[in-house]
Amino acid sequence: MNKILQDLNQEQKSAVLFNDNHQIILAGAGSGKTRTLTHKIAYLCDQKVPGHSIVAITFTNKAANEMKDRIATLIGQSSGVLACTFHSLCNRILRTYYTKVNLESNFTIYDEKDQIKVIEKILENYPDSKYTSYKLKNDISFSKNNMKTPDSMMHILEDSSSLEFITLYQEYNEILAQNNSIDFDDLLLLTLDILEDNDIRTVLQEKYKYIFVDEFQDTNKPQFEIIRKLVGKKTKLCVVGDDNQSIYGWRGSDIDYLLNFNIYYPDCKVSKLEINYRSRPRIIQAAQNIIDLNINKTDKKLIPNRSDDKKRITIFKEPNEYEEASRIISEIRTLNTKHKYEDIAILYRTNIQSRVLEDLARRNNIPYRIVGGLNFYARKEIKDIISFLKLINNTKDNIALNRVINFPPKGFGKKSMEKLVNLADFNNNNTLFESCQEIHTNFYNNIITLKNNYKEHKTISILIKDIITTFKIREYWTDINENSDIDRNGNIMELINTLISLEETDSLELTNFLQDAALAASNKEDNKNCITLMTAHASKGLEYSVIFICGLMEGLFPLPVDTHKELEEERRLFYVALTRAKNKAYLTYSKRRYKYGQETYYYRSHFIEQIPSKYKELKR
């Protein structure tokens, strides 16, 4: 037997050996998807297919590099296969055919910061615009990902606000063109324009005889159209994906491309990888029960390969989020007698939920790391609030003053700051803050008022609410709308919720709280043996011996949804989270939690309800 085919199961081997036509490999969680894909490409190379005729498209540079390394290991030499991301492939095509889209050879690709600078310059000429720079950037990106140009949008003009957006969108594109520059969305769209040329399309179709696409369920419209144009009469297309792990609809991916692959390519071969090598049977069966509630899916199943250890999924029900987090941390201390910390992960739906878990882990001397985000007290919006508190507590703190004197932005720029410093130097006995009385009177008066009010009520949560109201911080973050994945106002409210809870049971001095916050913000866990905290989205592709999924209440996980399609994606996200567990899974929830400073009651998630009793147990 060919050594490349050794150690593959029958499903994997069958998928590797088929190369007669287009193919879709439906690969369940933990079924050896990456292994099958790399062995399939290595097998082609071993059969004397030139590596340069093969392109394997992934979604991250890390995945592309890992694929190249695995293939080289299997065939014993560099393969010559092009393993790259969609954007990297498009950049290659643009660097060759740039003249077709009116670019010069040295064109620049703008990152987000560059885009914001361009948009800020545009908005200077539209003082009455409803747009912030981040909101406009996001709307332009959304339009490009849906392949909507300013010209095409003019034909479906709805109202004056649509006309404003189209005008700004057009001006943005014109400035990029003047600067011989493009953004990352343009990499895809301009490549599509180039591929309209029959001669160029034919050259590329003849060059790439075999095209592989990993994580196909995550493709968006421009990416799918690029693949369609690269596939010629002699091209063999193989896509690999799992409809049950399609969790990025909110950023443009479309599961329908995977579900309808056999419509686009009627003669395709459908291969299935259904044997799960990762998880214990009861974890798989519970996950399958949830995903079976979905209608829009393939008929693939997960079949457990590991033996049943008879352990059921443990359910924790607690009165509030603090008791819930405390129960999780306590259980982890017990687990640590048999499991290393690095084998344990806590998953949650939103980044806001990490705060109470971080606090309790730190207090219990349990090392932790956060994947895909900053620790709670190191987040910008929290550091801003903490800086206000520091200044109120100590008006000589110039570091805190520098951070908040022009936050939210109110026209107090570098020149104003220079005047303030010069005035403080002139009046030797004055601090920078004292000098604000002359140069930045409103700011000075606001801080003094807040300071005096705090002396009366001695309640930090009220002080923060007063800061938010005085400086219109909630309105600022609402208008910015910089990233749909970051809820800055929500994080600030979570800080307030923390303080309300602490203040209910004990008096809390501002100085002591600031000391604790400083220690929390400086937590940088270098110890490899630490528990992992992350969102369910960030957990995709990872695995741990023990998984906790917390906050399983209706309205939190799943989040509130407007459509059945959105609900199905929430279920897929839970499926992804649960199938990260190899040996043990805990599902936890609380009856109530603070939301926007108010105690709110919740029903437990239907995810828990839909798991049959034989797979779960409530542990009191």
Side-chain angles (χ1 to χ4, degrees):
M1 181 188 291
N2 187 303
K3 65 176 183 178
I4 293 173
L5 301 178
Q6 291 176 357
D7 302 323
L8 297 177
N9 68 29
Q10 192 55 47
E11 288 181 342
Q12 294 167 341
K13 194 182 302 179
S14 174
V16 166
L17 289 174
F18 179 82
N19 287 299
D20 296 334
N21 206 335
H22 303 312
Q23 180 183 21
I24 180 170
I25 302 175
L26 299 172
S31 63
K33 168 183 70 69
T34 304
R35 177 186 179 83
T36 303
L37 181 58
T38 52
H39 278 67
K40 186 175 179 69
I41 296 171
Y43 182 75
L44 285 174
C45 294
D46 188 65
Q47 298 300 302
K48 308 306 180 185
V49 173
H52 59 76
S53 69
I54 301 172
V55 59
I57 304 171
T58 69
F59 277 81
T60 67
N61 289 317
K62 180 182 178 184
N65 291 331
E66 286 178 356
M67 188 180 294
K68 283 186 279 192
D69 291 342
R70 288 196 190 193
I71 295 167
T73 300
L74 285 168
I75 65 176
Q77 60 185 11
S78 178
S79 64
V81 171
L82 174 58
C84 60
T85 64
F86 270 103
H87 289 99
S88 178
L89 176 63
C90 291
N91 187 43
R92 282 172 173 261
I93 294 171
L94 277 175
R95 294 291 174 189
T96 303
Y97 301 106
Y98 54 88
T99 57
K100 294 292 182 180
V101 286
N102 300 315
L103 288 172
E104 298 174 21
S105 60
N106 60 342
F107 68 85
T108 301
I109 302 172
Y110 278 0
D111 62 16
E112 183 180 65
K113 288 184 179 178
D114 297 325
Q115 290 176 269
I116 292 299
K117 287 179 182 177
V118 171
I119 290 171
E120 285 175 345
K121 198 70 177 173
I122 293 171
L123 290 177
E124 286 178 5
N125 298 321
Y126 298 88
D128 297 326
S129 174
K130 66 175 184 178
Y131 282 99
T132 63
S133 53
Y134 282 98
K135 177 77 168 78
L136 182 56
K137 181 195 75 69
N138 289 339
D139 283 3
I140 289 173
S141 181
F142 183 81
S143 297
K144 289 186 177 185
N145 280 321
N146 285 279
M147 297 175 62
K148 294 179 179 178
T149 65
D151 287 343
S152 67
M153 294 175 75
M154 281 297 292
H155 296 298
I156 51 172
L157 189 62
E158 296 177 353
D159 50 37
S160 59
S161 62
S162 298
L163 180 59
E164 179 191 3
F165 171 69
I166 293 169
T167 302
L168 296 171
Y169 183 8
Q170 180 66 40
E171 195 166 330
Y172 170 82
N173 282 348
E174 289 171 355
I175 290 175
L176 262 61
Q178 291 166 10
N179 294 352
N180 188 36
S181 300
I182 61 175
D183 60 29
F184 278 94
D185 297 317
D186 290 329
L187 279 171
L188 304 177
L189 297 181
L190 293 178
T191 297
L192 276 172
D193 289 344
I194 288 171
L195 292 175
E196 289 295 326
D197 186 296
N198 288 332
D199 293 336
I200 294 174
R201 192 167 64 248
T202 300
V203 168
L204 292 171
Q205 288 172 349
E206 289 179 355
K207 180 178 181 179
Y208 299 126
K209 298 291 176 56
Y210 294 87
I211 298 176
F212 295 85
V213 184
D214 194 12
E215 303 289 1
F216 187 66
Q217 76 279 353
D218 294 334
T219 51
N220 62 23
K221 187 174 183 178
Q223 291 163 343
F224 180 69
E225 292 301 327
I226 287 168
I227 294 303
R228 294 264 286 163
K229 289 185 183 299
L230 287 175
V231 173
K233 292 180 180 179
K234 297 181 180 180
T235 310
K236 304 286 181 22
L237 172 64
C238 174
V239 302
V240 185
D242 181 4
D243 49 304
N244 293 336
Q245 297 189 70
S246 177
I247 58 174
Y248 297 115
W250 51 276
R251 69 183 189 197
S253 68
D254 192 340
I255 191 177
D256 289 343
Y257 297 132
L258 182 146
L259 296 177
N260 298 322
F261 187 80
N262 61 341
I263 296 175
Y264 293 105
Y265 300 98
D267 298 326
C268 72
K269 165 78 171 176
V270 178
S271 301
K272 296 179 183 179
L273 305 182
E274 297 181 301
I275 300 175
N276 177 286
Y277 292 93
R278 176 187 299 150
S279 306
R280 295 288 186 185
R282 297 189 185 210
I283 294 171
I284 293 172
Q285 288 154 352
Q288 191 70 54
N289 265 86
I290 299 302
I291 211 65
D292 282 346
L293 297 172
N294 281 1
I295 297 171
N296 297 307
K297 59 183 174 59
T298 61
D299 62 355
K300 116 183 141 295
K301 299 287 184 182
L302 269 188
I303 303 167
N305 180 68
R306 298 182 65 194
S307 61
D308 188 356
D309 62 359
K310 307 300 181 183
K311 290 181 181 178
R312 291 188 284 181
I313 294 170
T314 299
I315 312 296
F316 287 162
K317 172 187 175 182
E318 299 299 330
N320 56 54
E321 70 263 42
Y322 306 99
E323 295 293 333
E324 180 186 358
S326 180
R327 184 75 181 275
I328 292 170
I329 296 301
S330 175
E331 186 72 9
I332 288 174
R333 290 179 70 88
T334 302
L335 288 168
N336 190 226
T337 60
K338 295 181 180 179
H339 298 269
K340 294 180 179 179
Y341 284 136
E342 65 190 79
D343 295 327
I344 302 170
I346 307 174
L347 311 184
Y348 35 79
R349 181 61 180 84
T350 65
N351 277 310
I352 294 171
Q353 295 166 258
S354 76
R355 195 274 317 153
V356 65
L357 294 162
E358 291 180 61
D359 282 354
L360 286 166
R362 193 171 56 256
R363 291 176 195 172
N364 286 273
N365 296 315
I366 293 178
Y368 70 89
R369 69 187 182 107
I370 297 199
V371 171
L374 294 169
N375 81 53
F376 186 80
Y377 289 96
R379 295 169 191 170
K380 179 187 180 339
E381 61 277 15
I382 301 303
K383 291 178 74 174
D384 290 336
I385 295 295
I386 295 296
S387 291
F388 275 113
L389 296 177
K390 285 179 177 179
L391 184 61
I392 290 165
N393 186 58
N394 172 20
T395 55
K396 292 182 179 179
D397 187 339
N398 289 340
I399 300 297
L401 182 140
N402 268 282
R403 185 178 184 100
V404 300
I405 194 168
N406 193 40
F407 178 79
K410 43 191 164 298
F412 194 86
K414 288 183 179 179
K415 290 184 179 180
S416 299
M417 195 65 199
E418 287 173 5
K419 288 181 181 178
L420 184 66
V421 171
N422 291 335
L423 181 61
D425 288 342
F426 181 76
N427 299 318
N428 292 330
N429 295 324
N430 274 12
T431 63
L432 284 180
F433 178 72
E434 287 170 336
S435 298
C436 286
Q437 193 169 7
E438 294 184 39
I439 289 182
H440 204 353
T441 308
N442 284 344
F443 178 79
Y444 176 86
N445 290 337
N446 285 335
I447 295 296
I448 292 298
T449 300
L450 291 165
K451 190 177 183 73
N452 291 334
N453 288 346
Y454 175 69
K455 285 179 182 178
E456 291 184 16
H457 57 64
K458 287 286 184 181
T459 309
I460 304 173
S461 60
I462 293 176
L463 175 57
I464 294 177
K465 289 179 181 178
D466 289 344
I467 291 169
I468 293 169
T469 301
T470 300
F471 292 98
K472 296 186 165 87
I473 291 172
R474 181 192 294 275
E475 292 85 348
Y476 172 75
W477 286 123
T478 299
D479 290 342
I480 282 291
N481 191 26
E482 60 182 335
N483 187 324
S484 59
D485 195 32
I486 300 175
D487 184 0
R488 298 201 187 270
N489 277 327
N491 284 336
I492 293 170
M493 290 311 303
E494 183 66 16
L495 176 63
I496 293 172
N497 295 343
T498 303
L499 291 162
I500 290 173
S501 178
L502 292 172
E503 289 161 352
E504 285 177 349
T505 58
D506 200 3
S507 60
L508 189 62
E509 291 294 329
L510 181 55
T511 301
N512 294 337
F513 170 72
L514 290 173
Q515 288 175 354
D516 289 343
L519 290 172
S522 65
N523 179 73
K524 293 180 181 177
E525 189 54 61
D526 296 323
N527 181 7
K528 182 182 176 183
N529 185 28
C530 57
I531 65 171
T532 300
L533 277 63
M534 60 185 156
T535 64
H537 280 101
S539 74
K540 189 168 179 285
L542 304 175
E543 61 182 29
Y544 294 87
S545 181
V546 181
I547 286 288
F548 291 82
I549 307 176
C550 64
L552 283 165
M553 296 99 79
E554 291 293 321
L556 185 57
F557 199 177
L559 289 175
V561 296
D562 295 321
T563 65
H564 187 73
K565 187 173 185 178
E566 291 172 348
L567 178 58
E568 290 202 341
E569 182 152 322
E570 288 290 312
R571 290 196 189 114
R572 292 194 294 269
L573 183 58
F574 177 76
Y575 173 90
V576 167
L578 186 53
T579 55
R580 301 310 95 195
K582 293 194 286 186
N583 298 309
K584 180 65 180 173
Y586 294 81
L587 308 180
T588 76
Y589 70 101
S590 58
K591 292 191 295 184
R592 63 185 186 274
R593 65 182 288 127
Y594 278 99
K595 183 177 181 181
Y596 301 117
Q598 299 293 321
E599 196 171 51
T600 305
Y601 285 80
Y602 290 87
Y603 293 105
R604 78 174 178 177
S605 172
H606 76 273
F607 298 155
I608 297 177
E609 299 289 348
Q610 293 295 330
I611 296 174
S613 298
K614 60 183 176 180
Y615 302 139
K616 67 187 179 186
E617 61 177 347
L618 178 63
K619 201 168 182 180
R620 299 189 183 278

